[in-house]
Amino acid sequence: MPRVVFDPERCKGCGLCLAFCPTRAVGMDEGLNRMGYHPAVLLDEAACTSCAACAWVCPDLAVEVYVPVKAGERRAGVG
Amino acid sequence: MAERILLKGNEALGEAAILAGCRFFAGYPITPQNEIPAYMARRMPRVGGVFIQAESELAAINMVYGAAGAGARAMTSSSSPGISLKQEGISYLAGAELPSVVVNIVRGGPGLGGIQPAQSDYFQATRGGGHGDYRTPVFAPNSVQEMVDLTMEAFEVADAYRNPVLVLGDGILGQMMEPVALPPAREAPLPPKPWATTGAKGPGRRIINSLYLDPVVLEQRNLWLAEKYARMRGLARAETVGMEDAEICLVAYGATSRIVKGAMQMARREGIRAGLIRPVTLWPYPTVSIREAAGRVEAFLVVELSLGQMVEDVRLAVDGKAPVHFYGRTGGMVPSPREVLEKLREVAAGMGKRRVVAAGAGA
Amino acid sequence: MRQIFAGTDGLTQSTTIYCPGCTHGITHRLVGEVLEELGVTGRTVGVASVGCSVLAYEYFNCDMQEAAHGRAPAVATGIRRVLPEAVVFTYQGDGDLASIGMGETIHAAARGERITVIFINNANYGMTGGQLAPTTLLGQVTTTTPGGRSAATAGYPIRVCELLATLDGPAYVARTSTHNVAELHRTKKAIRAAFQAQLEGAGFSMVEILSTCPTNWGMDPVRAMEFVAKEMTATYPLGEFVNWRRGN
């Protein structure tokens, strides 16, 4: 499961997440969503650090961010 | 019969609102209605209600919008220029179906006008001075007692129909004192208002709104309101005096109707058989009473403190069956019974009948 | 995997009508998150104003009222006074709050009305196609200042926070921005403080939030963020102007 999940149907292709991602891990999909925008997509999963900058600057609540649960860490629920 | 006390019209109206369960009032200074906000400022805190002097009549009507939308019985009052400022708000109250009472103690206009009594806001009140196909019931008291009774009724009608309701007084009624029997305070709880925004989350949340960007939906909305306005027709009522044998029908409302009643009695003493129809509701207009009289009387004489506004509704109701004459004073001038009598004599003479004038009477 | 960023139940699931990259959407989320984190959504009544955010009543997940243009603070006052326990906020743009509604804004603040005003300053009337607003910058081109706003004909920008800071009624007045992640964190902090001022009965609170309008500014969303960062903050300095906790 990736650290960041973009909802292609809520995204309006504004590109803010792409611009503010500190590791350039985000790009825009070639295809179009139902609204006719190129939705954001996680290009480089390895570069992603779950910093959630993309989620913070997203005007459309199109981003969910996850962080790997380290071996001994069992806490569930939303950060 | 409850004990009668001497009260000034404006203050009696304020007390009536409180007796009706009004617990939110927003007002603004303007003569000749100033006693209403002043009275509310004293009384509301004592009954656990809210009085606010708003920064403008515009703000006041929108505060009423918020309070009414939150489920309270809410009222605002003003005089002519201030009521003009509230017209947009009244249209919003109608569009969002918010029960509320708006009181206009009318003064001479147009523009800044004067502070003396007038009835020149009739069109604005009955046709609606705001935008859109909306209607509001309009009550027209003609005594301090009716300032009480009709204001209390206005709150019941507002809740019953989820609609703004207007009470159209004038400077005379607002400023004069008369003995009044105050009905008991409303005991029953307010009608339930599940639609009110009292704080809720999720699917159960409520929305007070008049915005419908989709014309299909907005038309449906208007047709729904139109059906409600049709149901309001039953509210129409008028008082009739001396119409059994009348050949001339006088039509007047509010304080003017009492001057006209005086003239009517003087005319009868001169053998002029005049009767009076006094609309209590200006919208819905008591068309039935007028139309019924049109079949029996030879002429109508409409008297208003304006250049003639209600006269058009009378003509609509009479529908050409009889001549409809008009007499009015405006700008704050108030006719004497004698001036109205003079006009009555003209109408009677004009009807071609020889008037036997008793020697020396009516000199 | 553990989720560390999710939606908020302070907002409904609706997608919004806002243009791509318009920061209205971000601010909506921050307000929704604050309502959720304070646990007050269930007793909140919001007032939407007229402008791009006119449909806010479809986005905030609490009771909402739609106010006439400029009148949200008056509507909110009516709600506040009859519902002492409710949490009441307005969400307004610069035209609504600082032009037609300036009277309501100043007097709600002067009354110390216990409401929270979320004020979106994007330096123009967005919904109607980009006209001059009281907050339009000098020299800024709008459809009604085609040659750029000139003080000689269209006057000077109005700094609302500074205006309200002269009054005794406000408990919290701050101006923040949305032009990067750090500013967004400050905006959320300010929104929380504003609601806490209301919850503690300290008085009137407002957060002015510098926002983008890519469509009417004729910029792509990222360029618009830079415009806010450089141009707007020059006319509208960020910071807290009133904070009851600091006694100022």
Side-chain angles (χ1 to χ4, degrees):
Chain A
M1 175 157 178
R3 288 170 176 261
V4 166
V5 173
F6 292 99
D7 177 343
E9 291 313 325
R10 288 188 72 101
C11 174
K12 292 175 183 166
C14 75
L16 287 178
C17 51
L18 186 150
F20 283 93
C21 172
T23 63
R24 291 276 163 274
V26 179
M28 308 312 283
D29 194 349
E30 290 309 316
L32 300 177
N33 65 11
R34 264 204 315 276
M35 292 189 279
Y37 296 118
H38 293 290
V41 67
L42 186 57
L43 289 182
D44 182 352
E45 207 171 317
C48 175
T49 65
S50 301
C51 77
C54 54
W56 267 86
V57 298
C58 175
D60 294 291
L61 277 164
V63 191
E64 289 173 356
V65 182
Y66 298 84
V67 66
V69 176
K70 287 192 222 52
E73 192 193 332
R74 274 290 153 265
R75 269 181 305 111
V78 173
Chain B
M1 184 55 172
E3 179 224 346
R4 282 152 59 93
I5 53 175
L6 203 55
L7 273 180
K8 176 179 267 198
N10 281 335
E11 292 179 338
L13 186 146
E15 185 56 28
I18 288 177
L19 292 172
C22 172
R23 289 298 177 271
F24 183 88
F25 177 87
Y28 189 82
I30 184 165
T31 302
Q33 60 84 59
N34 290 313
E35 292 82 0
I36 299 177
Y39 187 83
M40 290 304 208
R42 294 198 302 275
R43 279 286 284 148
M44 273 296 187
R46 288 198 209 111
V47 295
V50 174
F51 164 78
I52 300 181
Q53 179 170 313
E55 53 270 29
S56 71
E57 290 92 345
L58 271 176
I61 191 79
N62 282 286
M63 291 177 184
V64 163
Y65 182 102
R73 277 194 162 177
M75 178 169 103
T76 184
S77 67
S78 188
S79 294
S80 308
I83 297 294
S84 292
L85 286 176
K86 294 179 194 281
Q87 292 304 311
E88 181 200 36
I90 293 169
S91 171
Y92 272 71
L93 288 168
E97 292 196 275
L98 290 178
S100 44
V101 174
V102 180
V103 177
N104 182 1
I105 305 300
V106 182
R107 67 189 235 176
L112 192 49
I115 59 170
Q116 301 300 328
Q119 297 181 318
S120 33
D121 298 358
Y122 179 93
F123 282 151
Q124 179 190 63
T126 57
R127 292 335 186 247
H131 55 287
D133 282 314
Y134 73 96
R135 307 313 296 259
T136 59
V138 183
F139 288 101
N142 80 338
S143 66
V144 174
Q145 186 65 53
E146 281 199 346
M147 291 275 269
V148 170
D149 301 339
L150 294 182
T151 297
M152 292 187 81
E153 183 176 351
F155 278 99
E156 301 306 324
V157 169
D159 273 346
Y161 291 93
R162 276 192 64 181
N163 214 79
V165 174
L166 307 189
V167 175
L168 202 71
D170 59 60
I172 299 174
L173 294 168
Q175 295 300 324
M176 77 183 185
M177 295 184 83
E178 278 188 321
V180 175
L182 287 176
R186 191 185 198 289
E187 294 301 331
L190 297 186
K193 298 181 177 179
W195 44 264
T197 57
T198 53
K201 178 174 96 166
R205 73 194 183 100
R206 285 68 55 100
I207 297 174
I208 300 294
N209 169 48
S210 59
L211 176 73
Y212 297 89
L213 288 172
D214 177 348
V216 172
V217 176
L218 187 51
E219 181 175 50
Q220 287 311 314
R221 179 78 188 150
N222 270 281
L223 294 178
W224 154 263
L225 293 176
E227 186 273 325
K228 174 168 79 168
Y229 300 141
R231 277 190 283 116
M232 287 178 182
R233 294 282 167 192
L235 293 170
R237 71 177 188 270
E239 176 195 13
T240 58
V241 184
M243 281 302 293
E244 308 72 25
D245 64 344
E247 44 184 19
I248 300 175
C249 174
L250 289 151
V251 187
Y253 70 93
T256 311
S257 65
R258 294 170 63 168
I259 297 164
V260 166
K261 195 183 281 184
M264 183 189 81
Q265 283 147 357
M266 291 159 69
R268 278 195 170 263
R269 284 196 291 276
E270 291 179 6
I272 299 174
R273 293 205 311 279
L276 166 68
I277 293 181
R278 196 262 300 185
V280 176
T281 60
L282 302 182
W283 197 89
Y285 196 71
T287 306
V288 170
S289 317
I290 307 280
R291 181 158 297 158
E292 188 272 327
R296 291 190 285 109
V297 301
E298 296 194 31
F300 287 80
L301 173 58
V302 179
V303 183
E304 298 174 69
L305 298 185
S306 73
L307 293 176
Q309 297 187 22
M310 180 179 68
V311 61
E312 294 192 6
D313 279 336
V314 175
R315 289 199 174 107
L316 280 173
V318 169
D319 200 16
K321 294 192 185 67
V324 178
H325 304 279
F326 171 75
Y327 177 65
R329 300 297 300 270
T330 190
M333 292 304 293
V334 178
S336 66
R338 187 158 300 288
E339 286 169 60
V340 177
L341 173 61
E342 200 38 55
K343 187 63 185 173
L344 253 176
R345 288 178 181 145
E346 280 172 33
V347 170
M351 281 161 32
K353 290 238 172 40
R354 280 287 305 113
R355 283 289 119 221
V356 175
V357 178
Chain C
M1 279 291 191
R2 180 164 55 78
Q3 187 166 5
I4 60 163
F5 196 101
T8 165
D9 80 356
L11 295 181
T12 65
Q13 291 307 312
S14 307
T15 54
T16 70
I17 53 140
Y18 300 119
C19 305
C22 164
T23 51
H24 258 303
I26 305 176
T27 301
H28 272 43
R29 191 193 75 240
L30 299 181
V31 173
E33 286 173 353
V34 166
L35 290 177
E36 179 184 7
E37 287 153 22
L38 292 174
V40 295
T41 319
R43 62 187 174 100
T44 295
V45 183
V47 182
S49 60
V50 175
C52 288
S53 58
V54 72
L55 294 180
Y57 61 82
E58 285 184 4
Y59 307 143
F60 289 114
N61 194 27
C62 56
D63 277 352
M64 293 291 292
Q65 292 199 20
E66 179 65 49
H69 192 33
R71 315 306 166 198
V75 172
T77 296
I79 297 166
R80 156 52 64 234
R81 296 296 185 98
V82 302
L83 296 176
E85 299 315 312
V87 172
V88 182
F89 75 94
T90 73
Y91 188 98
Q92 301 172 253
D94 39 26
D96 188 276
L97 179 141
S99 197
I100 187 170
M102 181 61 94
E104 278 73 8
T105 301
I106 289 182
H107 284 278
R111 285 194 301 271
E113 203 68 53
R114 207 161 45 80
I115 60 175
T116 297
V117 172
I118 305 298
F119 166 27
I120 304 303
N121 175 355
N122 60 8
N124 83 111
Y125 280 74
M127 168 71 90
T128 45
Q131 291 79 10
L132 165 77
T135 49
T136 296
L137 308 183
L138 286 177
Q140 187 175 347
V141 172
T142 71
T143 56
T144 45
T145 56
R149 178 176 193 176
S150 112
T153 50
Y156 297 87
I158 296 178
R159 296 180 188 81
V160 177
C161 283
E162 289 81 343
L163 272 180
L164 300 188
T166 64
L167 302 171
D168 298 333
Y172 187 78
V173 174
R175 178 182 296 119
T176 65
S177 182
T178 54
H179 63 264
N180 60 38
V181 177
E183 287 305 327
L184 287 170
H185 279 277
R186 287 193 196 92
T187 295
K188 182 170 182 178
K189 206 161 80 67
I191 292 172
R192 183 179 300 115
F195 275 101
Q196 279 162 339
Q198 174 179 165
L199 291 170
E200 291 176 21
F204 174 87
S205 55
M206 182 184 83
V207 184
E208 176 180 348
I209 302 167
L210 302 186
S211 304
T212 64
C213 184
T215 300
N216 291 318
W217 291 355
M219 300 172 192
D220 70 69
V222 178
R223 170 78 187 85
M225 291 290 227
E226 287 152 13
F227 181 82
V228 173
K230 297 189 188 66
E231 308 298 326
M232 286 192 73
T233 51
T235 296
Y236 301 107
L238 305 179
E240 279 184 353
F241 296 82
V242 178
N243 187 334
W244 82 108
R245 286 184 177 140
R246 295 209 186 88
N248 70 344

